[in-house]
């Protein structure tokens, strides 16, 4: 997702504005991480994004002290990263092309809903960055609360579809 | 996996992908490590040193931006520009101004543009608007 879309879709839930010193403009802030968004792409018109945010009634903070504490924090002082094993089953379409994968975490004990959610976040991140980098993906979580598993489908709009009707009993 | 040096770091990133927010390492990642990661993932990375803490954070960005914590103890040592822009952006400049305005001792920082020489910048450096 590009940054413009991401910011405009997450106004106030994640992205807010901070008044610059002497009120000469605004910094775009990710309030969940308490970070400043440094847009380095010269093709992106940051002023236009800020204007659009103002139009959409974004929350404006005047000082840094007013910003809430960060919720999403980096992993602190760990030498060993936590690992868990996963297995990946590839899914192929009728034309033999890979359409996605089922990624499931292997756990030695039963996991609860919270652990499942955390593991699935890792799997989601892995799918976007390692399995299918730079591709638009649709992710479906396993409905079982003790199974951390995600179905990753890429290029969902290109898949063949069949229309059907469902009766609302 | 234990990350003890730059090659472990690159291996971990290649195997698991970059972390969502940032990774912590107890050694300073060299320029070429950040360049390798930027080149591979086509996204920005920023190396931050926190005063009074040991180690370094490598913040994970996206293709056009990276998020840097707002605090007077965070020192932005370097960050990459995957597009290869050899100048600070307005946001880079603004970050330095903001950091100094809240008491950060940071005077300058470094940009690692893709396939170009490293560039250091200060508040007075001309930036792209």
């Amino acid at each position: 997702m590009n940054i413009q879309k991401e910011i405009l879709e997450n106004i106030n839930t994640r992205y807010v504005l901070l008044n610059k010193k002497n009120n000469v403009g605004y910094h775009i802030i990710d309030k969940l991480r308490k970070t400043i968004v440094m847009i380095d792409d010269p093709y992106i018109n940051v002023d236009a994004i800020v204007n659009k945010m103002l139009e959409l009634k974004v929350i404006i903070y005047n000082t840094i002290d007013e910003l809430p504490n960060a919720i999403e924090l980096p992993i602190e002082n760990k030498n060993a990263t936590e690992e868990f094993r996963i297995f990946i089953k590839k899914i192929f379409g009728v034309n033999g092309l890979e359409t996605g994968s089922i990624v499931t975490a292997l756990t030695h004990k039963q996991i609860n809903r919270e652990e499942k959610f955390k593991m699935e976040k890792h799997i989601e991140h892995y799918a976007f960055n390692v399995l299918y980098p730079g591709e638009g993906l649709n992710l479906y979580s396993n409905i079982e609360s003790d199974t951390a598993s995600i179905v990753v489908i890429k290029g969902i709009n290109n898949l063949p579809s069949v229309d059907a009707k469902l009766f609302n009993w | 996996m234990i990350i003890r040096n730059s090659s472990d770091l690159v291996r971990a990133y290649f195997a698991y992908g970059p972390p969502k927010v940032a990774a912590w390492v107890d050694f300073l990642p060299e320029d070429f490590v950040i360049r390798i990661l930027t080149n591979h993932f086509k996204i920005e990375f920023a190396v931050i040193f926190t005063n009074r803490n040991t180690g370094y954070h490598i913040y994970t960005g996206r293709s056009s931006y990276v998020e840097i914590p707002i605090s007077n103890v965070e020192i932005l040592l370097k960050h990459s520009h995957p597009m290869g822009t050899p100048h600070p952006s307005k946001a880079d400049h603004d970050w330095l101004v903001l950091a100094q305005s809240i008491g950060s001792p940071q005077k300058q920082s470094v940009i690692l543009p893709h396939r170009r020489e490293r560039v250091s910048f200060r508040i007075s450096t001309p930036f792209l608007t």
Side-chain angles (χ1 to χ4, degrees):
Chain A
M1 190 188 285
N2 62 35
I3 181 65
Q4 299 94 320
K5 203 172 167 196
E6 193 171 324
I7 288 176
L8 296 178
E9 283 182 1
N10 295 291
I11 280 185
N12 293 341
T13 52
R14 179 178 279 274
Y15 297 103
V16 293
L17 292 178
L18 173 69
N19 249 328
K20 279 186 188 171
K21 206 178 165 188
N22 305 328
N23 295 329
V24 287
Y26 302 97
H27 298 287
I28 301 174
I29 303 291
D30 180 339
K31 70 172 183 181
L32 299 185
R33 295 185 187 175
K34 203 175 178 183
T35 51
I36 182 167
V37 181
M38 276 178 29
I39 299 175
D40 289 324
D41 187 341
Y43 292 105
I44 295 176
N45 186 344
V46 181
D47 292 339
I49 299 176
V50 170
N51 288 338
K52 190 71 192 170
M53 289 174 83
L54 291 169
E55 260 178 45
L56 295 170
K57 306 269 182 270
V58 64
I59 298 171
I60 301 169
Y61 292 89
N62 289 317
T63 63
I64 291 162
D65 301 333
E66 291 174 14
L67 287 169
N69 289 333
I71 302 168
E72 283 184 13
L73 292 167
I75 303 159
E76 288 299 331
N77 297 13
K78 269 189 187 175
N79 275 326
T81 49
E82 279 175 29
E83 283 179 313
F84 61 91
R85 289 185 62 201
I86 51 171
F87 67 88
I88 302 165
K89 284 190 181 291
K90 300 272 183 189
I91 307 169
F92 293 92
V94 282
N95 49 9
L97 292 175
E98 188 181 332
T99 53
S101 299
I102 304 168
V103 188
T104 308
L106 289 170
T107 50
H108 299 296
K109 60 178 176 68
Q110 196 170 11
I111 55 167
N112 59 29
R113 197 176 285 276
E114 218 169 71
E115 286 166 326
K116 167 190 162 75
F117 183 70
K118 201 175 160 191
M119 282 175 154
E120 286 183 346
K121 278 281 166 205
H122 284 297
I123 295 174
E124 186 184 317
H125 190 63
Y126 179 80
F128 276 109
N129 287 294
V130 182
L131 271 185
Y132 306 111
E135 294 199 45
L137 302 177
N138 284 63
L139 307 177
Y140 302 93
S141 168
N142 190 305
I143 57 165
E144 307 293 344
S145 62
D146 60 352
T147 310
S149 179
I150 289 227
V151 179
V152 184
I153 307 284
K154 59 175 187 168
I156 204 160
N157 290 328
N158 300 330
L159 296 175
S161 58
V162 178
D163 281 337
K165 281 184 181 166
L166 196 64
F167 189 75
N168 182 10
W169 290 100
Chain B
M1 181 172 191
I2 297 171
I3 299 172
R4 291 196 185 89
N5 51 39
S6 298
S7 53
D8 288 347
L9 179 72
V10 173
R11 266 203 296 276
Y13 269 63
F14 279 20
Y16 306 121
K20 200 173 174 190
V21 183
W24 180 89
V25 286
D26 59 2
F27 56 89
L28 175 63
E30 297 93 334
D31 287 2
F32 77 88
V33 173
I34 302 303
R35 284 181 187 279
I36 288 171
L37 297 178
T38 303
N39 194 30
H40 182 79
F41 293 104
K42 309 277 185 266
I43 56 176
E44 287 192 27
F45 290 95
V47 180
I48 305 263
F49 170 71
T50 310
N51 269 339
R52 297 191 292 272
N53 277 2
T54 56
Y56 304 87
H57 279 111
I58 307 169
Y59 276 78
T60 308
R62 293 286 162 85
S63 60
S64 54
Y65 73 98
V66 64
E67 295 190 6
I68 307 288
I70 312 162
S71 157
N72 57 3
V73 293
E74 310 282 0
I75 306 291
L76 172 62
L77 297 178
K78 51 194 165 193
H79 74 284
S80 55
H81 279 185
M83 303 275 284
T85 320
H87 304 285
S89 62
K90 190 167 186 290
D92 294 341
H93 172 267
D94 286 352
W95 185 84
L96 208 50
V97 172
L98 179 67
Q100 288 184 11
S101 72
I102 56 173
S104 168
Q106 178 154 24
K107 293 281 178 266
Q108 62 178 20
S109 185
V110 168
I111 296 168
L112 303 172
H114 181 51
R115 296 186 181 200
R116 287 194 166 99
E117 288 289 306
R118 75 207 299 268
V119 179
S120 68
F121 69 98
R122 292 169 163 255
I123 285 182
S124 54
T125 310
F127 56 86
L128 290 174
T129 53

